[in-house]
Amino acid sequence: MKYNSTVAGMAQEWSDSIASREVIEHRASFWTDPRALSPNNGAGEVIAIRTDRDASQLVEWWKGSPGHNAMLIDPRFNVMGAGISYTNSTYQIWGVVNFFGYTTLPAGTVDSPGGSAGGSTGGNPFPPATPTMCDAPVKHMPPTLDLSAASITGPGDLVTVNASGQLLNRASTGGRSYAAAKVIGSGFGGAKEVFVTDWDRDGAYDLVTQWTTGNLTLHRGIATGGFEPAVTLGSGGWQSLTLAVGGWCANNRMPQILALDTGGNLYLYPNKGTGDLSARTLISGGISAARLAMVDYDADGFQDVLALRTDGSALLYRGWGTTALRSESRPTVATGWQDVTGIRALKNVTALNSTGIALRRASDTVQYWDLSGGSLASPTNITGPWAGQRLAQ
């Protein structure tokens, strides 16, 4: 059995994902992921959790389970990668191992982590990876918090701004239903867009606000309710950009910003905490859109971009967790959306780990479109009232 850092990165990403969501599930079709490096002789994945932080006992559990142990000793498999994540919740350690079989070992396969293809374990045989804007500044695993008293209670909540500049939240109660609107803030009348995200990954939901004055600010959420005073992330020039906020980079747990300028250039701004957002890298050019949304449209584990055009069509730009879009045609996935004034990516609305989008439309309507199957399902109207309210993204 040999080691491949690309496969290990894939296992680590999935370990982080299930640990942060606190759900045991296998990655769908993980053997077709580009980072699986095209195995042609079988594939396997094992997962385990523990209430302590003893990694060796994860292995002992796999060995003691006949089905899991069969994968550990399957003679077809000759390459592996492991991911380990720690949390401060009930299950404090999460482990994922991916196994693949290859007739010809893929490039970058070594005898052991940090070793070489020739058997030496001294030094790293590969040159350091070229830094990108996707690189994480720290390896950060958010705690699991009780958000029942927080202003925003979960990833399925709907936040709006009313005509008086008040911020309202409707907490998701499951099954596409919502609690009554609750005022959670004020003074947002001058906001061009408000984005809901856990910007600092501390477990509580924050507000990133794009102001008509050109500034970009952060209000950090407090688990017991309310928000901290605003911190400026960017000064001047932000009012002309069309933004989307989310987890674009697969190797980075912190949310990032995609920004489309008036020339059709799409840029990635990395998360700098409370630091100034000035560094950026070009993702793609030639994009025409009046509004953007970042969501895993095709359910492959990577965030994609929905680009809503002025003619009401929505084009899909698929991502794969890097500073580039996939090189492919851009399908039109929806038409007739000329009246859409807001798109919000949501999770857990229909079931745990479900994915979808909410659309703010004319006639005081908000619709939910489920995406859990990898494409848009039939919409459902969400009970309002929505008159005079703009949807946060």
Side-chain angles (χ1 to χ4, degrees):
M1 181 64 64
K2 295 183 180 294
Y3 171 86
N4 189 286
S5 60
T6 301
V7 174
M10 174 182 166
Q12 184 63 58
E13 176 198 274
W14 192 243
S15 176
D16 294 344
S17 174
I18 61 175
S20 61
R21 295 181 288 119
E22 294 195 289
V23 57
I24 290 287
E25 64 179 4
H26 289 283
R27 186 200 299 267
S29 303
F30 62 89
W31 55 91
T32 64
D33 188 293
R35 292 164 296 177
L37 306 173
S38 302
N40 65 340
N41 197 25
E45 182 177 79
V46 294
I47 296 173
I49 56 178
R50 286 187 63 81
T51 55
D52 59 25
R53 297 193 169 194
D54 191 337
S56 66
Q57 291 305 310
L58 293 178
V59 181
E60 292 303 316
W61 187 89
W62 285 321
K63 289 165 63 178
S65 166
H68 293 81
N69 191 58
M71 280 196 212
L72 268 62
I73 63 175
D74 191 318
R76 298 174 301 162
F77 302 153
N78 51 8
V79 171
M80 66 164 284
I84 293 289
S85 301
Y86 297 94
T87 75
N88 65 350
S89 54
T90 301
Y91 296 104
Q92 297 193 7
I93 187 172
W94 299 64
V96 173
V97 182
N98 286 122
F99 301 99
F100 297 115
Y102 305 89
T103 301
T104 301
L105 292 174
T109 300
V110 295
D111 289 344
S112 62
S116 70
S120 172
T121 58
N124 191 332
F126 308 112
T130 302
T132 75
M133 290 292 185
C134 269
D135 294 344
V138 293
K139 297 292 187 181
H140 182 61
M141 177 60 64
T144 302
L145 302 179
D146 179 0
L147 297 180
S148 58
S151 295
I152 302 172
T153 62
D157 288 11
L158 283 172
V159 177
T160 57
V161 182
N162 67 14
S164 301
Q166 291 179 311
L167 210 63
L168 288 77
N169 185 50
R170 292 170 172 84
S172 174
T173 54
R176 307 186 192 217
S177 62
Y178 283 83
K182 176 183 176 182
V183 176
I184 60 172
S186 60
F188 287 85
K192 178 182 178 182
E193 299 288 354
V194 178
F195 299 90
V196 177
T197 184
D198 186 0
W199 183 256
D200 54 6
R201 293 289 276 171
D202 68 346
Y205 290 91
D206 312 313
L207 304 172
V208 173
T209 306
Q210 180 188 21
W211 298 92
T212 55
T213 59
N215 290 345
L216 191 74
T217 64
L218 169 69
H219 287 82
R220 297 181 62 199
I222 302 171
T224 53
F227 300 92
E228 294 183 6
V231 175
T232 299
L233 301 179
S235 298
W238 287 88
Q239 77 281 7
S240 64
L241 301 172
T242 301
L243 306 182
V245 180
W248 182 256
C249 296
N251 67 338
N252 191 335
R253 300 169 189 148
M254 310 295 282
Q256 302 96 40
I257 295 176
L258 293 182
L260 182 67
D261 69 13
T262 55
N265 299 305
L266 184 67
Y267 293 94
L268 171 69
Y269 285 83
N271 190 322
K272 296 294 184 181
T274 57
D276 181 64
L277 289 175
S278 57
R280 68 181 186 178
T281 190
L282 181 67
I283 296 290
S284 180
I287 297 177
S288 174
R291 189 169 294 277
L292 299 177
M294 195 190 307
V295 65
D296 181 8
Y297 183 94
D298 56 1
D300 68 349
F302 300 113
Q303 293 293 293
D304 309 306
V305 174
L306 278 180
L308 178 60
R309 303 172 63 137
T310 54
D311 63 1
S313 62
L315 272 60
L316 175 63
Y317 293 80
R318 295 201 304 153
W320 49 10
T322 69
T323 56
L325 298 170
R326 293 179 185 265
S327 298
E328 60 187 12
S329 60
R330 313 302 182 189
T332 298
V333 296
T335 57
W337 285 8
Q338 294 93 330
D339 63 335
V340 171
T341 60
I343 306 177
R344 163 100 161 101
L346 299 171
K347 292 185 70 68
N348 301 349
V349 171
T350 58
L352 183 64
N353 301 318
S354 65
T355 301
I357 55 173
L359 302 184
R360 175 67 168 97
R361 311 199 67 162
S363 304
D364 294 327
T365 299
V366 171
Q367 295 176 328
Y368 176 77
W369 299 65
D370 194 68
L371 278 170
S372 300
S375 61
L376 289 168
S378 298
T380 301
N381 287 355
I382 299 176
T383 302
W386 305 102
Q389 297 180 41
R390 296 181 290 135
L391 186 65
Q393 310 298 292

